[in-house]
Amino acid sequence: MKRDEYKHLLNYAANLVILIVQAVLFGYIWYRHYVPILVELEREFWRRGNWAVIGMYVLILFFITKTLGGYSVGYLRISDICLSQVLALLCANAIEYVEVCIIVNDYVTPRPLLVLMAVEILFIVPWVYVIRAIYTRLYPPRKMIVIYGEYSPTNLIGKINSRKDKYDVCATESVKIGYEALYTKIMDYEAVVLCDLPSQIRNQILKFCYDQKKRTYITPKISDIIITGTDRIHLFDTPLMLARNGGLTIEQRIGKRMLDIIFSLLAILISSPFMIIFALCIKFYDSGPVFYTQERVTRDGKAFQIIKFRSMRVNAEREGARLAAKGDDRITPIGRFLRATHLDELPQVFNILKGEMSMVGPRPERREIAEQYEELIPEFRFRLKVKAGLTGYAQIYGKYNTAPYDKLKLDLTYIERYSVWLDLKLMLMTFKIMFQKENTEGVEKEQKTAIKRM
């Protein structure tokens, strides 16, 4: 327990050093390059005014970096941390440039801020590597045991093993051996993974782990996720939890729609030049249509025509509907770039402006594919309690080929934990996944949907 406390202290100290260095570097640039401009214009700030500008820069940088996960030294992959830090610097310095122009009331050269960003990156990237090396040496991967029920935990173990820097699965055991034998085995490991266990058995083992202060990882059931969105009622001396089960409230839907209109208009304004370039590239490649429309389903099962840049050859689905596979030869060269960066989804901002989609929500599925999923997972229709989204919880934390059951869990987590702040956070994190190739990984060639045949 004390070692864990020191681990968090190391993380905080490392991130505090980064913020202090960033504040000092920006302070130098501000006093060296921009204060003289204000003096010349007779708009010089008092000392506290200068401090306020520096403090604002640090707050913006802290907010964006934390949202993107740039401070999670012991949690994310080191490449993810560096990418988050670089993207946060890019966004924060762009915002700061606009702020400086407003203060000066004129356009100023962005060169000092570009130099600042370069110096910050040259400091932060090696610093992150050093801290991560210290962190890994002091806190090696936890030795874990996976306890499973009726189904094999092979798929989950494969995902855990992708993070050998953090986890070390040393053993697996079935619940069939009984509680006493399981309790004895659990004591030999630092952490426990409870994989798809019946609720009664899972709760019994969880209580034992709680009593013994054993770190426990649990694969949640649909009912567990619904419970996370309940309201706590304290009208009596017996606690109650209320599950409203109606999706978003009317006021949440109104607020969400207002955000959709504002952000879709901004997106259209900013991205129009790029959309014109992409459209010309698609047209010149094979003279086919620029856009690809397809029926998808949104809230309450309502159908609409989604708009995307065409990334596959013409008549790519003459043999029937199927998801894109790894190395799919139907994808055109310009289509590979658009899909890898998610830019093929840009025209959906017009769907959002029309009210057919939202900026954030579950990925809109084709009706025929959704029906296939619902045959195996009847609860898959729970995703339709909110509008489909351009980006969303499953799009950020999942992949293109994420299994339907896992996608359902991610989308339900979004619905049950919905807030305006969560929408803003997911929109900001969307910029990060544009640079992560694994998020666009297709299904296997023998698959037509994301359902994996066992």
Side-chain angles (χ1 to χ4, degrees), residues 248-289:
L248 306 187
T249 63
I250 183 65
E251 53 271 31
Q252 287 175 328
R253 292 203 301 270
I254 292 173
K256 191 172 176 64
R257 179 61 186 146
M258 291 175 64
L259 281 178
D260 287 341
I261 293 172
I262 293 170
F263 281 103
S264 61
L265 287 172
L266 283 173
I268 291 170
L269 180 64
I270 295 170
S271 65
S272 290
F274 301 100
M275 287 199 280
I276 292 171
I277 293 171
F278 298 150
L280 292 173
C281 290
I282 294 168
K283 193 67 177 178
F284 289 154
Y285 176 73
D286 60 7
S287 300

Side-chain angles (χ1 to χ4, degrees), residues 2 7 109 216 228 271 284 309 339 346 363 417 438:
K2 288 184 178 180
K7 176 175 64 176
T109 175
T216 309
T228 63
S271 65
F284 289 154
F309 280 125
R339 294 175 73 91
L346 260 182
R363 178 183 174 84
R417 295 172 57 184
E438 61 269 19

